[in-house]
Amino acid sequence: MFDRIAQWQPDQGAAAAARAVAALALAALAVIHVVDLPGTLGPTPLVGLGYLGIIAGSILIAGVLIARPHWLAWTAAGAVAALAMGGYILTRALRGGFLGDHGDVGNWHCPLGIAALTVESVIILLVLLAGLGAWQARLHAASLAARRPAARRAPEYIRPA
């Protein structure tokens, strides 16, 4: 039984599926902002620049997540989603507008905005689940290292700090 535990590996299929879903959600976030982009470039150029940043960042991060699963890619995905979500909330909540966008103050029923919030929530949930999986894998690796017999462990002076 302990031999099977010692050979435990995280489910690579689940990790690949999580990366694929996150990449699709990032692509959906980019598409939502591309659809809404023409209305922002003229009257609110700062919001339009923010949209361009969200679009470019989402596509770039989705490609990185597919190519190489790294914790920085997951962190960047969560950051893009959180920043986009924050921008939506600020443009509607601040009375004087945010980044020159006075027309959206109080407009909480925008269908594209609600779709974007939904996609951003999915991305943030996936980032949290990926972090939880990485944390559990570390705990498992640490418990395996603690169970090794003392004779097989490297002496204290050889172990890296």
Side-chain angles (χ1 to χ4, degrees):
M1 179 174 143
F2 289 116
D3 291 336
R4 285 180 48 191
I5 292 173
Q7 296 172 358
W8 177 84
Q9 292 290 321
D11 186 6
Q12 297 301 320
R19 289 192 341 261
V21 170
L24 286 172
L26 286 164
L29 185 62
V31 167
I32 290 168
H33 284 85
V34 165
V35 169
D36 202 29
L37 182 64
T40 62
L41 286 177
T44 54
L46 290 177
V47 174
L49 284 174
Y51 274 32
L52 289 173
I54 291 169
I55 294 164
S58 295
I59 292 170
L60 178 71
I61 295 164
V64 170
L65 271 176
I66 292 297
R68 184 166 187 214
H70 195 269
W71 68 271
L72 283 174
W74 283 106
T75 303
V80 165
L83 289 172
M85 191 179 286
Y88 178 83
I89 292 169
L90 288 174
T91 55
R92 276 125 180 104
L94 296 179
R95 291 179 194 243
F98 180 67
L99 297 176
D101 188 4
H102 303 288
D104 279 330
V105 175
N107 182 17
W108 294 100
H109 300 290
C110 173
L112 281 176
I114 294 170
L117 284 175
T118 304
V119 170
E120 292 152 5
S121 298
V122 167
I123 294 168
I124 290 172
L125 268 172
L126 284 169
V127 168
L128 291 173
L129 287 173
L132 178 65
W135 179 62
Q136 284 181 333
R138 262 192 185 190
L139 287 177
H140 183 76
S143 70
L144 288 178
R147 285 190 205 149
R148 284 192 308 183
R152 294 184 64 202
R153 289 188 196 157
E156 290 292 327
Y157 60 89
I158 295 177
R159 284 190 210 159

mmCIF file of all heavy atoms in Angstrom, residues 17-59:
data_model
loop_
_atom_site.group_PDB
_atom_site.id
_atom_site.type_symbol
_atom_site.label_atom_id
_atom_site.label_comp_id
_atom_site.label_asym_id
_atom_site.label_seq_id
_atom_site.Cartn_x
_atom_site.Cartn_y
_atom_site.Cartn_z
ATOM 1 N N ALA A 17 -6.886 19.646 -18.601
ATOM 2 C CA ALA A 17 -8.256 20.132 -18.774
ATOM 3 C C ALA A 17 -8.435 21.506 -18.130
ATOM 4 O O ALA A 17 -9.081 22.391 -18.709
ATOM 5 C CB ALA A 17 -9.242 19.134 -18.169
ATOM 6 N N ALA A 18 -7.856 21.703 -16.953
ATOM 7 C CA ALA A 18 -7.950 23.009 -16.290
ATOM 8 C C ALA A 18 -7.269 24.090 -17.120
ATOM 9 O O ALA A 18 -7.793 25.204 -17.256
ATOM 10 C CB ALA A 18 -7.327 22.932 -14.897
ATOM 11 N N ARG A 19 -6.111 23.771 -17.696
ATOM 12 C CA ARG A 19 -5.417 24.745 -18.543
ATOM 13 C C ARG A 19 -6.229 25.054 -19.796
ATOM 14 O O ARG A 19 -6.309 26.202 -20.226
ATOM 15 C CB ARG A 19 -4.033 24.223 -18.922
ATOM 16 C CG ARG A 19 -3.077 24.206 -17.770
ATOM 17 C CD ARG A 19 -1.622 23.978 -18.148
ATOM 18 N NE ARG A 19 -1.350 23.406 -19.427
ATOM 19 C CZ ARG A 19 -1.073 22.103 -19.651
ATOM 20 N NH1 ARG A 19 -1.047 21.263 -18.638
ATOM 21 N NH2 ARG A 19 -0.814 21.668 -20.865
ATOM 22 N N ALA A 20 -6.859 24.032 -20.378
ATOM 23 C CA ALA A 20 -7.672 24.253 -21.574
ATOM 24 C C ALA A 20 -8.892 25.116 -21.267
ATOM 25 O O ALA A 20 -9.212 26.040 -22.028
ATOM 26 C CB ALA A 20 -8.102 22.912 -22.163
ATOM 27 N N VAL A 21 -9.556 24.835 -20.163
ATOM 28 C CA VAL A 21 -10.728 25.631 -19.782
ATOM 29 C C VAL A 21 -10.310 27.072 -19.485
ATOM 30 O O VAL A 21 -10.990 28.027 -19.874
ATOM 31 C CB VAL A 21 -11.468 24.996 -18.591
ATOM 32 C CG1 VAL A 21 -12.534 25.918 -18.038
ATOM 33 C CG2 VAL A 21 -12.076 23.666 -19.002
ATOM 34 N N ALA A 22 -9.189 27.245 -18.794
ATOM 35 C CA ALA A 22 -8.710 28.596 -18.502
ATOM 36 C C ALA A 22 -8.362 29.338 -19.793
ATOM 37 O O ALA A 22 -8.680 30.526 -19.935
ATOM 38 C CB ALA A 22 -7.492 28.537 -17.581
ATOM 39 N N ALA A 23 -7.735 28.652 -20.738
ATOM 40 C CA ALA A 23 -7.399 29.292 -22.018
ATOM 41 C C ALA A 23 -8.663 29.681 -22.778
ATOM 42 O O ALA A 23 -8.739 30.771 -23.365
ATOM 43 C CB ALA A 23 -6.526 28.369 -22.854
ATOM 44 N N LEU A 24 -9.673 28.811 -22.762
ATOM 45 C CA LEU A 24 -10.945 29.139 -23.422
ATOM 46 C C LEU A 24 -11.640 30.313 -22.732
ATOM 47 O O LEU A 24 -12.219 31.178 -23.393
ATOM 48 C CB LEU A 24 -11.864 27.922 -23.445
ATOM 49 C CG LEU A 24 -11.483 26.834 -24.439
ATOM 50 C CD1 LEU A 24 -12.355 25.598 -24.240
ATOM 51 C CD2 LEU A 24 -11.606 27.350 -25.862
ATOM 52 N N ALA A 25 -11.595 30.342 -21.414
ATOM 53 C CA ALA A 25 -12.206 31.457 -20.683
ATOM 54 C C ALA A 25 -11.471 32.764 -20.982
ATOM 55 O O ALA A 25 -12.108 33.812 -21.143
ATOM 56 C CB ALA A 25 -12.202 31.165 -19.184
ATOM 57 N N LEU A 26 -10.148 32.711 -21.074
ATOM 58 C CA LEU A 26 -9.392 33.910 -21.434
ATOM 59 C C LEU A 26 -9.720 34.359 -22.858
ATOM 60 O O LEU A 26 -9.826 35.560 -23.129
ATOM 61 C CB LEU A 26 -7.894 33.666 -21.273
ATOM 62 C CG LEU A 26 -7.398 33.627 -19.833
ATOM 63 C CD1 LEU A 26 -6.011 32.997 -19.760
ATOM 64 C CD2 LEU A 26 -7.379 35.017 -19.230
ATOM 65 N N ALA A 27 -9.894 33.400 -23.764
ATOM 66 C CA ALA A 27 -10.282 33.749 -25.137
ATOM 67 C C ALA A 27 -11.673 34.376 -25.154
ATOM 68 O O ALA A 27 -11.911 35.354 -25.881
ATOM 69 C CB ALA A 27 -10.237 32.507 -26.029
ATOM 70 N N ALA A 28 -12.588 33.848 -24.350
ATOM 71 C CA ALA A 28 -13.931 34.421 -24.261
ATOM 72 C C ALA A 28 -13.874 35.842 -23.704
ATOM 73 O O ALA A 28 -14.588 36.740 -24.181
ATOM 74 C CB ALA A 28 -14.824 33.545 -23.390
ATOM 75 N N LEU A 29 -13.019 36.055 -22.728
ATOM 76 C CA LEU A 29 -12.851 37.400 -22.169
ATOM 77 C C LEU A 29 -12.348 38.364 -23.238
ATOM 78 O O LEU A 29 -12.823 39.496 -23.347
ATOM 79 C CB LEU A 29 -11.887 37.356 -20.981
ATOM 80 C CG LEU A 29 -11.689 38.642 -20.205
ATOM 81 C CD1 LEU A 29 -12.997 39.102 -19.588
ATOM 82 C CD2 LEU A 29 -10.637 38.453 -19.136
ATOM 83 N N ALA A 30 -11.403 37.909 -24.056
ATOM 84 C CA ALA A 30 -10.890 38.744 -25.139
ATOM 85 C C ALA A 30 -11.991 39.048 -26.154
ATOM 86 O O ALA A 30 -12.134 40.193 -26.595
ATOM 87 C CB ALA A 30 -9.706 38.063 -25.818
ATOM 88 N N VAL A 31 -12.784 38.061 -26.519
ATOM 89 C CA VAL A 31 -13.859 38.260 -27.503
ATOM 90 C C VAL A 31 -14.894 39.254 -26.976
ATOM 91 O O VAL A 31 -15.350 40.137 -27.716
ATOM 92 C CB VAL A 31 -14.520 36.906 -27.864
ATOM 93 C CG1 VAL A 31 -15.812 37.108 -28.628
ATOM 94 C CG2 VAL A 31 -13.555 36.056 -28.669
ATOM 95 N N ILE A 32 -15.271 39.118 -25.723
ATOM 96 C CA ILE A 32 -16.242 40.053 -25.128
ATOM 97 C C ILE A 32 -15.723 41.484 -25.234
ATOM 98 O O ILE A 32 -16.467 42.410 -25.589
ATOM 99 C CB ILE A 32 -16.538 39.670 -23.667
ATOM 100 C CG1 ILE A 32 -17.349 38.381 -23.617
ATOM 101 C CG2 ILE A 32 -17.265 40.796 -22.939
ATOM 102 C CD1 ILE A 32 -17.454 37.766 -22.236
ATOM 103 N N HIS A 33 -14.448 41.682 -24.960
ATOM 104 C CA HIS A 33 -13.898 43.035 -25.011
ATOM 105 C C HIS A 33 -13.687 43.516 -26.442
ATOM 106 O O HIS A 33 -13.756 44.719 -26.705
ATOM 107 C CB HIS A 33 -12.617 43.107 -24.179
ATOM 108 C CG HIS A 33 -12.916 43.138 -22.713
ATOM 109 N ND1 HIS A 33 -13.117 41.997 -21.981
ATOM 110 C CD2 HIS A 33 -13.083 44.168 -21.849
ATOM 111 C CE1 HIS A 33 -13.388 42.325 -20.731
ATOM 112 N NE2 HIS A 33 -13.383 43.637 -20.622
ATOM 113 N N VAL A 34 -13.447 42.603 -27.381
ATOM 114 C CA VAL A 34 -13.360 42.999 -28.795
ATOM 115 C C VAL A 34 -14.721 43.485 -29.274
ATOM 116 O O VAL A 34 -14.815 44.494 -29.990
ATOM 117 C CB VAL A 34 -12.860 41.814 -29.670
ATOM 118 C CG1 VAL A 34 -13.106 42.071 -31.143
ATOM 119 C CG2 VAL A 34 -11.382 41.568 -29.425
ATOM 120 N N VAL A 35 -15.792 42.797 -28.884
ATOM 121 C CA VAL A 35 -17.144 43.194 -29.288
ATOM 122 C C VAL A 35 -17.484 44.581 -28.748
ATOM 123 O O VAL A 35 -18.094 45.402 -29.440
ATOM 124 C CB VAL A 35 -18.176 42.144 -28.811
ATOM 125 C CG1 VAL A 35 -19.597 42.645 -28.963
ATOM 126 C CG2 VAL A 35 -17.981 40.841 -29.568
ATOM 127 N N ASP A 36 -17.076 44.880 -27.536
ATOM 128 C CA ASP A 36 -17.407 46.165 -26.901
ATOM 129 C C ASP A 36 -16.392 47.264 -27.214
ATOM 130 O O ASP A 36 -16.619 48.420 -26.876
ATOM 131 C CB ASP A 36 -17.519 45.962 -25.389
ATOM 132 C CG ASP A 36 -18.338 47.045 -24.722
ATOM 133 O OD1 ASP A 36 -19.235 47.612 -25.377
ATOM 134 O OD2 ASP A 36 -18.094 47.313 -23.533
ATOM 135 N N LEU A 37 -15.294 46.927 -27.857
ATOM 136 C CA LEU A 37 -14.204 47.876 -28.094
ATOM 137 C C LEU A 37 -14.591 49.096 -28.939
ATOM 138 O O LEU A 37 -14.223 50.220 -28.579
ATOM 139 C CB LEU A 37 -13.008 47.156 -28.723
ATOM 140 C CG LEU A 37 -11.762 47.989 -28.983
ATOM 141 C CD1 LEU A 37 -11.177 48.495 -27.662
ATOM 142 C CD2 LEU A 37 -10.725 47.164 -29.730
ATOM 143 N N PRO A 38 -15.319 48.970 -30.053
ATOM 144 C CA PRO A 38 -15.591 50.152 -30.883
ATOM 145 C C PRO A 38 -16.299 51.286 -30.143
ATOM 146 O O PRO A 38 -16.046 52.461 -30.417
ATOM 147 C CB PRO A 38 -16.483 49.598 -32.005
ATOM 148 C CG PRO A 38 -16.121 48.167 -32.093
ATOM 149 C CD PRO A 38 -15.809 47.750 -30.683
ATOM 150 N N GLY A 39 -17.138 50.957 -29.179
ATOM 151 C CA GLY A 39 -17.842 51.983 -28.424
ATOM 152 C C GLY A 39 -16.980 52.703 -27.407
ATOM 153 O O GLY A 39 -17.391 53.718 -26.845
ATOM 154 N N THR A 40 -15.781 52.216 -27.166
ATOM 155 C CA THR A 40 -14.941 52.826 -26.139
ATOM 156 C C THR A 40 -13.765 53.614 -26.710
ATOM 157 O O THR A 40 -13.216 54.467 -26.016
ATOM 158 C CB THR A 40 -14.373 51.761 -25.192
ATOM 159 O OG1 THR A 40 -13.558 50.871 -25.931
ATOM 160 C CG2 THR A 40 -15.477 50.995 -24.503
ATOM 161 N N LEU A 41 -13.372 53.330 -27.924
ATOM 162 C CA LEU A 41 -12.178 53.985 -28.461
ATOM 163 C C LEU A 41 -12.363 55.479 -28.665
ATOM 164 O O LEU A 41 -11.462 56.258 -28.381
ATOM 165 C CB LEU A 41 -11.746 53.321 -29.771
ATOM 166 C CG LEU A 41 -11.093 51.956 -29.611
ATOM 167 C CD1 LEU A 41 -10.787 51.361 -30.968
ATOM 168 C CD2 LEU A 41 -9.835 52.050 -28.778
ATOM 169 N N GLY A 42 -13.532 55.899 -29.138
ATOM 170 C CA GLY A 42 -13.741 57.322 -29.395
ATOM 171 C C GLY A 42 -14.016 58.131 -28.140
ATOM 172 O O GLY A 42 -13.237 59.008 -27.759
ATOM 173 N N PRO A 43 -15.134 57.864 -27.463
ATOM 174 C CA PRO A 43 -15.517 58.716 -26.334
ATOM 175 C C PRO A 43 -14.664 58.529 -25.079
ATOM 176 O O PRO A 43 -14.479 59.470 -24.316
ATOM 177 C CB PRO A 43 -16.967 58.324 -26.061
ATOM 178 C CG PRO A 43 -17.152 56.982 -26.670
ATOM 179 C CD PRO A 43 -16.165 56.881 -27.788
ATOM 180 N N THR A 44 -14.168 57.347 -24.839
ATOM 181 C CA THR A 44 -13.378 57.079 -23.631
ATOM 182 C C THR A 44 -12.095 56.347 -24.027
ATOM 183 O O THR A 44 -11.997 55.128 -23.877
ATOM 184 C CB THR A 44 -14.190 56.230 -22.633
ATOM 185 O OG1 THR A 44 -14.662 55.061 -23.298
ATOM 186 C CG2 THR A 44 -15.359 56.996 -22.054
ATOM 187 N N PRO A 45 -11.103 57.082 -24.513
ATOM 188 C CA PRO A 45 -9.895 56.413 -25.008
ATOM 189 C C PRO A 45 -9.119 55.652 -23.928
ATOM 190 O O PRO A 45 -8.493 54.636 -24.230
ATOM 191 C CB PRO A 45 -9.064 57.556 -25.583
ATOM 192 C CG PRO A 45 -9.616 58.804 -24.995
ATOM 193 C CD PRO A 45 -11.044 58.524 -24.664
ATOM 194 N N LEU A 46 -9.159 56.091 -22.679
ATOM 195 C CA LEU A 46 -8.452 55.354 -21.626
ATOM 196 C C LEU A 46 -9.099 53.998 -21.358
ATOM 197 O O LEU A 46 -8.395 53.005 -21.137
ATOM 198 C CB LEU A 46 -8.395 56.180 -20.339
ATOM 199 C CG LEU A 46 -7.486 57.415 -20.380
ATOM 200 C CD1 LEU A 46 -7.582 58.190 -19.078
ATOM 201 C CD2 LEU A 46 -6.058 56.995 -20.649
ATOM 202 N N VAL A 47 -10.418 53.950 -21.414
ATOM 203 C CA VAL A 47 -11.110 52.670 -21.260
ATOM 204 C C VAL A 47 -10.789 51.787 -22.466
ATOM 205 O O VAL A 47 -10.564 50.584 -22.323
ATOM 206 C CB VAL A 47 -12.636 52.880 -21.105
ATOM 207 C CG1 VAL A 47 -13.370 51.557 -21.097
ATOM 208 C CG2 VAL A 47 -12.938 53.663 -19.840
ATOM 209 N N GLY A 48 -10.729 52.378 -23.659
ATOM 210 C CA GLY A 48 -10.357 51.631 -24.852
ATOM 211 C C GLY A 48 -8.961 51.044 -24.750
ATOM 212 O O GLY A 48 -8.721 49.897 -25.142
ATOM 213 N N LEU A 49 -8.023 51.810 -24.197
ATOM 214 C CA LEU A 49 -6.670 51.283 -23.982
ATOM 215 C C LEU A 49 -6.679 50.132 -22.979
ATOM 216 O O LEU A 49 -5.951 49.152 -23.137
ATOM 217 C CB LEU A 49 -5.734 52.389 -23.502
ATOM 218 C CG LEU A 49 -5.254 53.370 -24.571
ATOM 219 C CD1 LEU A 49 -4.460 54.500 -23.939
ATOM 220 C CD2 LEU A 49 -4.426 52.644 -25.606
ATOM 221 N N GLY A 50 -7.497 50.262 -21.953
ATOM 222 C CA GLY A 50 -7.643 49.177 -20.994
ATOM 223 C C GLY A 50 -8.195 47.929 -21.659
ATOM 224 O O GLY A 50 -7.745 46.813 -21.395
ATOM 225 N N TYR A 51 -9.175 48.104 -22.544
ATOM 226 C CA TYR A 51 -9.730 46.976 -23.295
ATOM 227 C C TYR A 51 -8.648 46.323 -24.140
ATOM 228 O O TYR A 51 -8.559 45.091 -24.201
ATOM 229 C CB TYR A 51 -10.858 47.450 -24.207
ATOM 230 C CG TYR A 51 -12.220 47.505 -23.562
ATOM 231 C CD1 TYR A 51 -12.385 47.798 -22.210
ATOM 232 C CD2 TYR A 51 -13.353 47.286 -24.313
ATOM 233 C CE1 TYR A 51 -13.632 47.873 -21.647
ATOM 234 C CE2 TYR A 51 -14.619 47.351 -23.758
ATOM 235 C CZ TYR A 51 -14.749 47.643 -22.424
ATOM 236 O OH TYR A 51 -15.981 47.699 -21.861
ATOM 237 N N LEU A 52 -7.844 47.135 -24.826
ATOM 238 C CA LEU A 52 -6.764 46.572 -25.651
ATOM 239 C C LEU A 52 -5.781 45.782 -24.792
ATOM 240 O O LEU A 52 -5.288 44.730 -25.206
ATOM 241 C CB LEU A 52 -6.053 47.689 -26.414
ATOM 242 C CG LEU A 52 -6.862 48.330 -27.548
ATOM 243 C CD1 LEU A 52 -6.115 49.536 -28.113
ATOM 244 C CD2 LEU A 52 -7.172 47.319 -28.633
ATOM 245 N N GLY A 53 -5.494 46.284 -23.592
ATOM 246 C CA GLY A 53 -4.618 45.562 -22.670
ATOM 247 C C GLY A 53 -5.222 44.233 -22.234
ATOM 248 O O GLY A 53 -4.528 43.211 -22.166
ATOM 249 N N ILE A 54 -6.529 44.232 -21.948
ATOM 250 C CA ILE A 54 -7.209 43.000 -21.550
ATOM 251 C C ILE A 54 -7.195 41.998 -22.701
ATOM 252 O O ILE A 54 -6.929 40.803 -22.507
ATOM 253 C CB ILE A 54 -8.656 43.290 -21.094
ATOM 254 C CG1 ILE A 54 -8.641 44.071 -19.771
ATOM 255 C CG2 ILE A 54 -9.464 42.005 -20.962
ATOM 256 C CD1 ILE A 54 -9.983 44.637 -19.382
ATOM 257 N N ILE A 55 -7.464 42.474 -23.909
ATOM 258 C CA ILE A 55 -7.491 41.592 -25.087
ATOM 259 C C ILE A 55 -6.116 40.979 -25.323
ATOM 260 O O ILE A 55 -5.974 39.755 -25.450
ATOM 261 C CB ILE A 55 -7.978 42.371 -26.323
ATOM 262 C CG1 ILE A 55 -9.437 42.783 -26.145
ATOM 263 C CG2 ILE A 55 -7.777 41.547 -27.598
ATOM 264 C CD1 ILE A 55 -9.900 43.860 -27.108
ATOM 265 N N ALA A 56 -5.095 41.831 -25.376
ATOM 266 C CA ALA A 56 -3.739 41.337 -25.645
ATOM 267 C C ALA A 56 -3.253 40.416 -24.518
ATOM 268 O O ALA A 56 -2.692 39.344 -24.770
ATOM 269 C CB ALA A 56 -2.778 42.507 -25.823
ATOM 270 N N GLY A 57 -3.482 40.832 -23.282
ATOM 271 C CA GLY A 57 -3.053 40.020 -22.148
ATOM 272 C C GLY A 57 -3.755 38.678 -22.099
ATOM 273 O O GLY A 57 -3.129 37.642 -21.840
ATOM 274 N N SER A 58 -5.058 38.663 -22.359
ATOM 275 C CA SER A 58 -5.812 37.412 -22.324
ATOM 276 C C SER A 58 -5.301 36.426 -23.365
ATOM 277 O O SER A 58 -5.105 35.239 -23.075
ATOM 278 C CB SER A 58 -7.301 37.680 -22.568
ATOM 279 O OG SER A 58 -7.847 38.435 -21.528
ATOM 280 N N ILE A 59 -5.073 36.915 -24.572
ATOM 281 C CA ILE A 59 -4.613 36.024 -25.646
ATOM 282 C C ILE A 59 -3.204 35.518 -25.351
ATOM 283 O O ILE A 59 -2.907 34.332 -25.507
ATOM 284 C CB ILE A 59 -4.690 36.743 -27.003
ATOM 285 C CG1 ILE A 59 -6.163 36.977 -27.352
ATOM 286 C CG2 ILE A 59 -3.988 35.953 -28.094
ATOM 287 C CD1 ILE A 59 -6.389 37.868 -28.531
#
